[in-house]
Amino acid sequence: MATTVNGVTFKAARTTPAAVAAVGIAVPSSGALPRGIGQSRETLAALGFTADVGTTVVLPPEEGSEHLRILVGIGDPKEATANVLRNCAAAMARAASSHASLATSL
């Protein structure tokens, strides 16, 4: 089922749709990195990505994939509130604004 709000269509899916242009990945400020990033924290820091709330970095597709990866920092997951997640989603949307579609589990 799809829902459209202000010209944006939202769909729930169990897997990443093949036709999506970018994949948004939520990244905590400490601990293990989520699967699909393929970079170390040191490499991400060199790119200016700290995983603080709302920070973003765009990475090229992994080998064998066509999806750009948009990382968004969520800070400490233990301190995540609805407002923090809303700010993270807004940051991810801004980073994805030049792409036709975005999939995320945020």
Side-chain angles (χ1 to χ4, degrees):
M1 179 177 174
T3 302
T4 301
V5 178
N6 294 330
V8 177
T9 301
F10 297 88
K11 295 179 186 177
R14 293 188 184 274
T15 60
T16 302
V20 73
V23 175
I25 303 171
V27 180
S29 58
S30 62
L33 290 170
R35 291 177 28 203
I37 293 179
Q39 304 293 327
S40 67
R41 285 200 183 271
E42 293 77 20
T43 300
L44 295 174
L47 296 171
F49 181 74
T50 60
D52 290 339
V53 173
T55 59
T56 61
V57 66
V58 178
L59 299 176
E62 285 187 288
E63 189 173 323
S65 173
E66 296 182 17
H67 308 111
L68 287 174
R69 295 167 292 158
I70 300 174
L71 309 186
V72 62
I74 61 168
D76 183 347
K78 294 176 186 171
E79 297 177 8
T81 63
N83 192 49
V84 165
L85 295 177
R86 189 172 22 261
N87 289 338
C88 292
M92 186 182 298
R94 284 190 297 275
S97 65
S98 64
H99 304 290
S101 56
L102 171 69
T104 185
S105 61
L106 182 61

